[in-house]
Amino acid sequence: MDYRDKLILAPMVRMGTLPLRLLSLDYGADIVYGEEIIDWRMINTTRVENQILDTIDYVSETDGSVVFRTCSREKDRIVFQIGTADAKRALEVALKVEADVAAIDVNMGCPKDFSIKGGMGAALLRQPEKIQEILATLVQNVKIPVTCKIRILDSLEETLNLCKMIQNCGVSALAVHGRRKEERSHQNNHDDYIRAISKELKIPVIANGGSNDIKCYEDILSFKKRTNAAAIMIARAAQWNCSVFRRQGSLPLESVIKSYLKYVVDYDSLVGNAKYCVQSMLRDLQDSDVGKALLDCQTLESLCQIWSLDAYYRLKQEEFKCRLGKSGLYQPSRGIKLSEEPIYKRLKIVDGNEDSMKLAPVVFHRGEVKKAETLLPKSILYMWTQRKGLQQPLYQTKSIEKLFYSIVTVEGKIYGSSVGSKSKRYAEQAAAQVCIDALDLAPVKSGS
């Protein structure tokens, strides 16, 4: 990957997920960084080829959530950023993802308490030996470019010494946020430091921290000229309106939000994350009628409805269901909890006769049932057995690694979800949904 003369979307927690990355590429970004992911979290994932969304998902082995999602369109432009304080763990993560990303970056600039207390982020700036160990380990063992992102130190001399040491580790580029660990975004960015670093180093220097002065594409060019950097990395200005990357000029915010939400729908993103990102875009408009309506949203469909995209949402959901087949309440965004051994063996509460079992990756979401105004799966199943004169459903639940798994026995057959739930109640509802799907029972409207 060539970093010179590039416009780059900065790594941003919660913001830097697949929808914003793809939209930034649409608008002219050359390289996009994913949000920082802590090493141990990524280590405990399973790589899944999501055929419903045409994505590569790294799914948590703890709770079934998608930790990192990418797709072929960004493969040559996505930089995976690791939060780490340990060379071995960093390497384990890098080797795990290197076939799916264009480069690896190590976060050495985050000033947040979580990172500092864990010895990560800006805490590394005062540990040159550890920096050397992490970067040298990565450079020597992965096949794709390795970079890191730092903040400046108290003096220019200290900062230059740090940057030269990092360069000697063999990294392909260095991103520099022109503020110290204690300085915040309302304070001036030290463009002069970045300019001095750019002059001293032979590798490309990526300038970051100029969003206060960036409102349009021309401002990006001005920032590049002030810092004499090889490339420009943009965080908050892109968070507010990522069409800032457009050489033809920025687009109206409403147009940007609509385009963003289409990607959210296309990749079945979580409504909570989508709300957060749109709120960040609205900024001062959060107290407007649109902003208040956004706060009231509980589902992705209701969020899309504000921008007249609810029909688009329903169309895509139907496409997903056609690809998946009978999906129950399972949604691709939640990922699939995978295990090397069948779930019935892990439960150890049934004999494990596969012929008498039906397992499916179903996740119960209360909001989906509320939106559809139907009875809960357990209620539907109970009413059906009563009408048929059958013994009522028998549920068995076990907690494994802080997640709950349930099976339900109906007419001698066992049904359950292969996906763990965060509560016993939800696990039982998921098991009931698997049974409902297998029996092809129709939903029952509330009050029927």
Side-chain angles (χ1 to χ4, degrees), residues 401-422:
E401 297 174 357
K402 299 182 180 179
L403 291 176
F404 292 89
Y405 296 85
S406 288
I407 57 172
V408 59
T409 303
V410 177
E411 287 192 288
K413 291 201 69 174
I414 296 169
Y415 307 86
S417 175
S418 55
V419 183
S421 299
K422 293 185 178 180

mmCIF file of all heavy atoms in Angstrom, residues 401-422:
data_model
loop_
_atom_site.group_PDB
_atom_site.id
_atom_site.type_symbol
_atom_site.label_atom_id
_atom_site.label_comp_id
_atom_site.label_asym_id
_atom_site.label_seq_id
_atom_site.Cartn_x
_atom_site.Cartn_y
_atom_site.Cartn_z
ATOM 1 N N GLU A 401 -20.151 -20.306 29.690
ATOM 2 C CA GLU A 401 -19.308 -19.139 29.415
ATOM 3 C C GLU A 401 -20.110 -17.842 29.421
ATOM 4 O O GLU A 401 -20.030 -17.018 28.515
ATOM 5 C CB GLU A 401 -18.587 -19.318 28.074
ATOM 6 C CG GLU A 401 -17.643 -20.504 28.045
ATOM 7 C CD GLU A 401 -17.052 -20.754 26.671
ATOM 8 O OE1 GLU A 401 -17.425 -20.025 25.729
ATOM 9 O OE2 GLU A 401 -16.233 -21.674 26.536
ATOM 10 N N LYS A 402 -20.952 -17.694 30.443
ATOM 11 C CA LYS A 402 -21.739 -16.480 30.678
ATOM 12 C C LYS A 402 -22.873 -16.277 29.669
ATOM 13 O O LYS A 402 -23.484 -15.205 29.625
ATOM 14 C CB LYS A 402 -20.844 -15.236 30.713
ATOM 15 C CG LYS A 402 -19.796 -15.250 31.813
ATOM 16 C CD LYS A 402 -18.987 -13.968 31.824
ATOM 17 C CE LYS A 402 -17.944 -14.004 32.935
ATOM 18 N NZ LYS A 402 -17.115 -12.777 32.979
ATOM 19 N N LEU A 403 -23.159 -17.296 28.857
ATOM 20 C CA LEU A 403 -24.293 -17.238 27.939
ATOM 21 C C LEU A 403 -25.252 -18.379 28.259
ATOM 22 O O LEU A 403 -24.857 -19.402 28.833
ATOM 23 C CB LEU A 403 -23.826 -17.344 26.492
ATOM 24 C CG LEU A 403 -23.041 -16.157 25.941
ATOM 25 C CD1 LEU A 403 -22.558 -16.461 24.530
ATOM 26 C CD2 LEU A 403 -23.867 -14.886 25.954
ATOM 27 N N PHE A 404 -26.524 -18.189 27.889
ATOM 28 C CA PHE A 404 -27.545 -19.195 28.170
ATOM 29 C C PHE A 404 -27.968 -19.893 26.879
ATOM 30 O O PHE A 404 -28.164 -19.250 25.844
ATOM 31 C CB PHE A 404 -28.763 -18.546 28.832
ATOM 32 C CG PHE A 404 -28.494 -18.045 30.219
ATOM 33 C CD1 PHE A 404 -28.028 -16.759 30.428
ATOM 34 C CD2 PHE A 404 -28.685 -18.867 31.328
ATOM 35 C CE1 PHE A 404 -27.771 -16.285 31.709
ATOM 36 C CE2 PHE A 404 -28.421 -18.415 32.610
ATOM 37 C CZ PHE A 404 -27.956 -17.119 32.806
ATOM 38 N N TYR A 405 -28.104 -21.214 26.964
ATOM 39 C CA TYR A 405 -28.568 -22.034 25.852
ATOM 40 C C TYR A 405 -29.778 -22.833 26.328
ATOM 41 O O TYR A 405 -29.759 -23.430 27.402
ATOM 42 C CB TYR A 405 -27.483 -22.993 25.383
ATOM 43 C CG TYR A 405 -26.270 -22.304 24.813
ATOM 44 C CD1 TYR A 405 -25.241 -21.848 25.634
ATOM 45 C CD2 TYR A 405 -26.153 -22.105 23.438
ATOM 46 C CE1 TYR A 405 -24.128 -21.212 25.114
ATOM 47 C CE2 TYR A 405 -25.031 -21.474 22.899
ATOM 48 C CZ TYR A 405 -24.023 -21.028 23.747
ATOM 49 O OH TYR A 405 -22.927 -20.398 23.220
ATOM 50 N N SER A 406 -30.822 -22.843 25.516
ATOM 51 C CA SER A 406 -32.036 -23.567 25.883
ATOM 52 C C SER A 406 -32.441 -24.537 24.788
ATOM 53 O O SER A 406 -32.173 -24.300 23.602
ATOM 54 C CB SER A 406 -33.192 -22.596 26.133
ATOM 55 O OG SER A 406 -33.023 -21.886 27.325
ATOM 56 N N ILE A 407 -33.082 -25.604 25.207
ATOM 57 C CA ILE A 407 -33.759 -26.504 24.283
ATOM 58 C C ILE A 407 -35.187 -26.657 24.772
ATOM 59 O O ILE A 407 -35.482 -26.483 25.956
ATOM 60 C CB ILE A 407 -33.068 -27.877 24.201
ATOM 61 C CG1 ILE A 407 -32.991 -28.519 25.589
ATOM 62 C CG2 ILE A 407 -31.693 -27.758 23.573
ATOM 63 C CD1 ILE A 407 -32.490 -29.948 25.572
ATOM 64 N N VAL A 408 -36.061 -26.962 23.836
ATOM 65 C CA VAL A 408 -37.453 -27.199 24.195
ATOM 66 C C VAL A 408 -37.889 -28.519 23.560
ATOM 67 O O VAL A 408 -37.553 -28.797 22.403
ATOM 68 C CB VAL A 408 -38.367 -26.041 23.731
ATOM 69 C CG1 VAL A 408 -38.296 -25.829 22.222
ATOM 70 C CG2 VAL A 408 -39.801 -26.266 24.186
ATOM 71 N N THR A 409 -38.595 -29.348 24.322
ATOM 72 C CA THR A 409 -39.077 -30.634 23.841
ATOM 73 C C THR A 409 -40.565 -30.545 23.570
ATOM 74 O O THR A 409 -41.354 -30.163 24.445
ATOM 75 C CB THR A 409 -38.800 -31.748 24.870
ATOM 76 O OG1 THR A 409 -37.396 -31.791 25.139
ATOM 77 C CG2 THR A 409 -39.255 -33.099 24.339
ATOM 78 N N VAL A 410 -40.941 -30.861 22.346
ATOM 79 C CA VAL A 410 -42.347 -30.858 21.933
ATOM 80 C C VAL A 410 -42.604 -32.126 21.128
ATOM 81 O O VAL A 410 -41.912 -32.396 20.146
ATOM 82 C CB VAL A 410 -42.675 -29.614 21.068
ATOM 83 C CG1 VAL A 410 -44.120 -29.677 20.580
ATOM 84 C CG2 VAL A 410 -42.422 -28.336 21.843
ATOM 85 N N GLU A 411 -43.568 -32.929 21.569
ATOM 86 C CA GLU A 411 -43.917 -34.187 20.906
ATOM 87 C C GLU A 411 -42.694 -35.094 20.737
ATOM 88 O O GLU A 411 -42.517 -35.752 19.717
ATOM 89 C CB GLU A 411 -44.549 -33.934 19.532
ATOM 90 C CG GLU A 411 -45.958 -33.387 19.597
ATOM 91 C CD GLU A 411 -46.624 -33.431 18.227
ATOM 92 O OE1 GLU A 411 -46.237 -32.624 17.364
ATOM 93 O OE2 GLU A 411 -47.523 -34.267 18.031
ATOM 94 N N GLY A 412 -41.827 -35.087 21.736
ATOM 95 C CA GLY A 412 -40.667 -35.972 21.716
ATOM 96 C C GLY A 412 -39.497 -35.474 20.894
ATOM 97 O O GLY A 412 -38.460 -36.116 20.862
ATOM 98 N N LYS A 413 -39.663 -34.339 20.202
ATOM 99 C CA LYS A 413 -38.566 -33.773 19.427
ATOM 100 C C LYS A 413 -37.975 -32.571 20.152
ATOM 101 O O LYS A 413 -38.681 -31.859 20.876
ATOM 102 C CB LYS A 413 -39.037 -33.361 18.025
ATOM 103 C CG LYS A 413 -39.400 -34.537 17.129
ATOM 104 C CD LYS A 413 -39.364 -34.153 15.651
ATOM 105 C CE LYS A 413 -37.965 -33.884 15.185
ATOM 106 N NZ LYS A 413 -37.870 -33.640 13.727
ATOM 107 N N ILE A 414 -36.694 -32.371 19.939
ATOM 108 C CA ILE A 414 -35.967 -31.322 20.648
ATOM 109 C C ILE A 414 -35.596 -30.206 19.683
ATOM 110 O O ILE A 414 -35.112 -30.465 18.572
ATOM 111 C CB ILE A 414 -34.695 -31.905 21.308
ATOM 112 C CG1 ILE A 414 -35.095 -32.931 22.375
ATOM 113 C CG2 ILE A 414 -33.854 -30.786 21.932
ATOM 114 C CD1 ILE A 414 -33.926 -33.743 22.876
ATOM 115 N N TYR A 415 -35.811 -28.955 20.120
ATOM 116 C CA TYR A 415 -35.499 -27.781 19.313
ATOM 117 C C TYR A 415 -34.656 -26.821 20.145
ATOM 118 O O TYR A 415 -34.861 -26.691 21.351
ATOM 119 C CB TYR A 415 -36.775 -27.075 18.867
ATOM 120 C CG TYR A 415 -37.767 -27.973 18.169
ATOM 121 C CD1 TYR A 415 -38.687 -28.726 18.911
ATOM 122 C CD2 TYR A 415 -37.780 -28.082 16.789
ATOM 123 C CE1 TYR A 415 -39.598 -29.551 18.282
ATOM 124 C CE2 TYR A 415 -38.689 -28.914 16.133
ATOM 125 C CZ TYR A 415 -39.598 -29.654 16.892
ATOM 126 O OH TYR A 415 -40.491 -30.476 16.266
ATOM 127 N N GLY A 416 -33.724 -26.160 19.498
ATOM 128 C CA GLY A 416 -32.905 -25.193 20.231
ATOM 129 C C GLY A 416 -32.113 -24.309 19.295
ATOM 130 O O GLY A 416 -31.981 -24.595 18.095
ATOM 131 N N SER A 417 -31.585 -23.228 19.852
ATOM 132 C CA SER A 417 -30.741 -22.325 19.075
ATOM 133 C C SER A 417 -29.278 -22.618 19.361
ATOM 134 O O SER A 417 -28.891 -22.870 20.501
ATOM 135 C CB SER A 417 -31.047 -20.865 19.429
ATOM 136 O OG SER A 417 -30.149 -20.010 18.765
ATOM 137 N N SER A 418 -28.476 -22.570 18.307
ATOM 138 C CA SER A 418 -27.035 -22.767 18.469
ATOM 139 C C SER A 418 -26.336 -21.483 18.876
ATOM 140 O O SER A 418 -25.125 -21.442 19.019
ATOM 141 C CB SER A 418 -26.434 -23.283 17.155
ATOM 142 O OG SER A 418 -26.749 -22.409 16.090
ATOM 143 N N VAL A 419 -27.118 -20.405 19.071
ATOM 144 C CA VAL A 419 -26.575 -19.109 19.454
ATOM 145 C C VAL A 419 -26.874 -18.840 20.921
ATOM 146 O O VAL A 419 -28.015 -18.983 21.367
ATOM 147 C CB VAL A 419 -27.181 -17.984 18.592
ATOM 148 C CG1 VAL A 419 -26.564 -16.646 18.950
ATOM 149 C CG2 VAL A 419 -26.983 -18.283 17.124
ATOM 150 N N GLY A 420 -25.880 -18.460 21.664
ATOM 151 C CA GLY A 420 -26.082 -18.161 23.076
ATOM 152 C C GLY A 420 -26.831 -16.860 23.285
ATOM 153 O O GLY A 420 -26.744 -15.938 22.482
ATOM 154 N N SER A 421 -27.588 -16.784 24.388
ATOM 155 C CA SER A 421 -28.328 -15.572 24.758
ATOM 156 C C SER A 421 -27.808 -15.042 26.081
ATOM 157 O O SER A 421 -27.221 -15.780 26.877
ATOM 158 C CB SER A 421 -29.825 -15.871 24.877
ATOM 159 O OG SER A 421 -30.362 -16.321 23.646
ATOM 160 N N LYS A 422 -28.065 -13.756 26.324
ATOM 161 C CA LYS A 422 -27.550 -13.124 27.534
ATOM 162 C C LYS A 422 -28.460 -13.328 28.741
ATOM 163 O O LYS A 422 -28.122 -12.911 29.841
ATOM 164 C CB LYS A 422 -27.318 -11.641 27.283
ATOM 165 C CG LYS A 422 -26.193 -11.387 26.289
ATOM 166 C CD LYS A 422 -25.881 -9.924 26.130
ATOM 167 C CE LYS A 422 -24.720 -9.721 25.168
ATOM 168 N NZ LYS A 422 -24.368 -8.285 24.985
#
